[in-house]
Amino acid sequence: MKSKPALELADVKAIAAAAEAEALKHQWAVSIAIVDDGGHLLWLQRLDGAAPISAQIAPAKARTAAVGRRESRLYEEMVNGGRVSFLSAPGLEGLLEGGVPVLKDGQCLGAVGVSGVKSTEDAQIARAGIAAIGL
């Protein structure tokens, strides 16, 4: 039997706090979602002024990054490159940039999804959160 690392509540809180700090530093109103490696929601927060729809998009981006084991941006690029069949892939709803997997030693521990500003800025916030736990 193999052992693998997992996100703990302290990790989730650290990721969320760092992501929130990055968003507030730039005055970006976003929603931040953190999921485990199976895409199950561990954390969701909607900052003041964030659009209500962002609270649905952020978890979708996070789930896509977690179960796909790669940034959600890559799926968006595939679709934009003509592989529109990915739009019908089961379980992948957040096919937009802004979902970033949390990886350690080649293992996916979960993912962070952000929605509310430009997709590159969403991803910047997610990466800032992940950096808080040294990954």
Side-chain angles (χ1 to χ4, degrees), residues 92-115:
L92 297 180
E93 299 172 340
L95 302 176
L96 303 166
E97 184 173 6
V100 180
V102 179
L103 301 171
K104 180 176 181 170
D105 300 327
Q107 295 287 322
C108 181
L109 312 183
V112 180
V114 179
S115 178

Side-chain angles (χ1 to χ4, degrees), residues 47-131:
L47 300 182
D48 292 343
I53 190 69
S54 69
Q56 293 181 3
I57 296 171
K61 289 179 177 183
R63 274 191 302 277
T64 295
V67 300
R69 310 298 198 244
R70 62 187 56 132
E71 289 197 30
S72 57
R73 167 186 58 82
L74 299 174
Y75 294 105
E76 180 179 13
E77 289 172 358
M78 283 188 245
V79 171
N80 289 342
R83 294 193 63 196
V84 294
S85 60
F86 262 97
L87 293 173
S88 65
L92 297 180
E93 299 172 340
L95 302 176
L96 303 166
E97 184 173 6
V100 180
V102 179
L103 301 171
K104 180 176 181 170
D105 300 327
Q107 295 287 322
C108 181
L109 312 183
V112 180
V114 179
S115 178
V117 287
K118 294 178 184 175
S119 59
T120 55
E121 296 165 347
D122 289 341
Q124 175 183 330
I125 295 166
R127 285 190 198 95
I130 294 167

Side-chain angles (χ1 to χ4, degrees), residues 2 28 35 37 40-41 44 59 65 92 96 100 108 116 120-121 126:
K2 293 183 179 181
W28 292 335
V35 300
D37 62 335
H40 304 98
L41 190 61
L44 176 63
L92 297 180
L96 303 166
V100 180
C108 181
T120 55
E121 296 165 347

